[in-house]
Amino acid sequence: MFKRSLVVAISAAAVLSAPWAAPAHADGALPLPLLPHVPFYFTDTADAANRPESLTAQGLKALDATYVYNGKTRTVADYLDRSSTRGFLVMKDNQILDERYFGGYSATSRFNSWSVGKSITSAALGIAVSEGRIASIDDPVTKYVPDLAKSGYNGVSIRNVLQMSSGTAYDETDYTNPTKGSTATTIRMVAGTSLTDQAKEIKRERPAGTKWNYDSVDTFVLGWVVSKATGKSLSDYVEDRIWKPAGMETSALIGKDYKGNAVGYCCYHATVRDFARFGLLYLRDGQAGGKQVLPAQWVKDSTHASAPHLQPHNLRPDKPESSENNYGYGYQWWLGDGDRGDYSAIGILGQFIYVSPKDGIVIVKNSEDLNSEVNMGEAIHAFRAIADAAAKR
């Protein structure tokens, strides 16, 4: 008990001493959490594969390209600098074309996924469906987690939760406010309130499936469903069904609360190359090492919008200028517009896994970006420019 209390106290101090509660700068910049890529919570370890998925790296070259955003011609090099990039990799199929690190980080550094991890949790749920552990994503989450029967999640389908359309009351629009959204959820977690207890407190605000509302507790609930349905912790299931089969080269650290519940909505700590391997898994329609790790249909369904309110440019009708409106939304993936078919896993402070099936390109960007909410909208334009340049090589 003393050991747990000590860790909780240290973790809480790490979060609360960070400038989460500081007011945003005039330009809307986010405060930077203390050591944003170092765990400030308990973790489990997902072991690496015995035979890592091979990535080749010959003739590396710093790629650059120009693009137009908001009426101005810009360069990718400038974007990487402005957005405080710490790790950057461009890959065509399994061939690394460009790999760079900044600010003292290296190829062996583990970066916090932040909300990129939502896409990993989604993949775990898709595998559980394919194994019959979850009968259908149209099942209510309460079929698998009856503890939520008195919460706003009662009767809400897994599909609606996957699409951030649970209808629950959760305000994740201001990360500088320590009393709201995932900032509050995470602070309460490291201070000792379990994520399961917090999920049970959530109330319903509107009918499910009618409005997109970014909600990190939705993703925690998905991980909870996976754990209940499979009889394994989410961390163990990710290790057994994703990390090892997809050929990850380095072990991952997976954040959890003091009761052992995996966070799910963030906090998968991995190398840039292993994040690239996760993108490659989707690029290859769920295959790795000659095996079908993730159902191809799940990859397709996850990366397409299936309702009008999830289409690109429709996510935030209440705030047309929002960077989120540059995207649509699938099953915990952000979707590009047009006929390119590209999509991204995106996390605060500028974490990205970008996949362009048309070009056969995967891009990973890990950052410490104080303006990530603003720069998120520009990212897809920069990545498309790099994809076009890389596809020609």
Side-chain angles (χ1 to χ4, degrees):
M1 176 63 73
F2 173 77
K3 182 178 179 182
R4 191 189 80 188
S5 299
L6 180 62
V7 174
V8 167
I10 293 172
S11 299
V15 177
L16 296 173
S17 64
W20 284 110
H25 301 296
D27 60 359
L30 288 168
L32 181 65
L34 184 66
L35 302 175
H37 293 295
V38 176
F40 50 88
Y41 30 69
F42 296 96
T43 61
D44 286 322
T45 300
D47 289 337
N50 291 328
R51 294 184 178 180
E53 183 71 25
S54 176
L55 305 180
T56 61
Q58 297 178 351
L60 296 185
K61 180 181 179 182
L63 297 173
D64 199 8
T66 60
Y67 57 95
V68 176
Y69 181 69
N70 284 345
K72 296 181 180 179
T73 300
R74 305 171 185 245
T75 67
V76 172
D78 176 62
Y79 177 72
L80 295 181
D81 182 59
R82 281 188 290 110
S83 58
S84 302
T85 304
R86 298 295 178 256
F88 182 68
L89 183 148
V90 181
M91 191 163 68
K92 186 173 184 179
D93 194 51
N94 71 333
Q95 181 184 0
I96 299 172
L97 304 179
D98 186 0
E99 184 177 19
R100 287 177 270 168
Y101 297 91
F102 311 88
Y105 291 96
S106 71
T108 61
S109 299
R110 286 190 184 96
F111 291 90
N112 192 342
S113 67
W114 293 105
S115 287
V116 162
K118 289 177 168 67
S119 304
I120 298 174
T121 299
S122 169
L125 192 138
I127 294 169
V129 171
S130 72
E131 293 178 341
R133 308 295 185 93
I134 296 171
S136 169
I137 61 170
D138 291 316
D139 285 344
V141 295
T142 40
K143 176 179 176 180
Y144 303 93
V145 188
D147 286 352
L148 291 172
K150 294 183 179 180
S151 77
Y153 287 103
N154 186 41
V156 176
S157 73
I158 296 170
R159 184 189 303 274
N160 288 154
V161 179
L162 279 164
Q163 296 172 333
M164 294 289 185
S165 302
S166 64
T168 54
Y170 197 78
D171 184 357
E172 197 163 338
T173 57
D174 183 4
Y175 291 101
T176 67
N177 188 335
T179 68
K180 289 185 177 182
S182 61
T183 306
T185 299
T186 305
I187 288 173
R188 291 182 66 198
M189 177 191 78
V190 299
T193 303
S194 71
L195 292 170
T196 49
D197 286 346
Q198 291 190 60
K200 287 187 282 188
E201 297 171 0
I202 297 293
K203 306 298 182 183
R204 184 77 63 84
E205 187 172 73
R206 68 187 69 85
T210 60
K211 180 182 178 181
W212 182 85
N213 181 55
Y214 195 76
D215 181 341
S216 285
V217 174
D218 277 3
T219 317
F220 168 72
V221 167
L222 295 174
W224 196 1
V225 168
V226 170
S227 180
K228 287 291 190 178
T230 63
K232 291 188 172 189
S233 70
L234 177 63
S235 299
D236 285 347
Y237 196 70
V238 166
E239 177 188 73
D240 292 344
R241 301 300 196 273
I242 298 175
W243 218 250
K244 288 181 175 179
M248 303 308 185
E249 185 175 25
T250 305
S251 62
L253 302 180
I254 302 176
K256 62 181 179 179
D257 68 15
Y258 78 91
K259 283 189 174 180
N261 305 295
V263 179
Y265 60 78
C266 73
C267 312
Y268 293 86
H269 294 255
T271 64
V272 165
R273 287 194 176 195
D274 281 340
F275 284 133
R277 286 182 172 93
F278 183 71
L280 184 62
L281 180 66
Y282 273 73
L283 182 70
R284 292 177 168 175
D285 293 325
Q287 292 190 356
K291 296 181 180 179
Q292 196 73 40
V293 175
L294 182 65
Q297 189 63 46
W298 184 263
V299 173
K300 180 179 179 181
D301 293 345
S302 297
T303 56
H304 288 79
S306 62
H309 70 281
L310 302 173
Q311 297 295 327
H313 312 297
N314 286 356
L315 296 184
R316 293 291 305 276
D318 60 315
K319 193 177 180 182
E321 72 279 9
S322 171
S323 289
E324 294 166 329
N325 283 325
N326 284 270
Y327 302 87
Y329 208 75
Y331 297 168
Q332 309 281 296
W333 285 89
W334 298 82
L335 315 178
D337 61 0
D339 59 1
R340 192 161 190 149
D342 50 356
Y343 48 90
S344 301
I346 301 178
I348 197 172
L349 299 173
Q351 322 313 318
F352 294 89
I353 300 174
Y354 168 84
V355 181
S356 178
K358 177 182 177 181
D359 302 305
I361 296 293
V362 173
I363 298 173
V364 175
K365 181 181 185 297
N366 289 110
S367 318
E368 295 174 348
D369 183 8
L370 300 179
N371 284 299
S372 63
E373 289 187 288
V374 174
N375 291 329
M376 172 184 169
E378 185 175 350
I380 192 168
H381 300 275
F383 295 155
R384 284 174 169 177
I386 280 289
D388 288 341
K392 297 174 182 176
R393 290 191 59 182

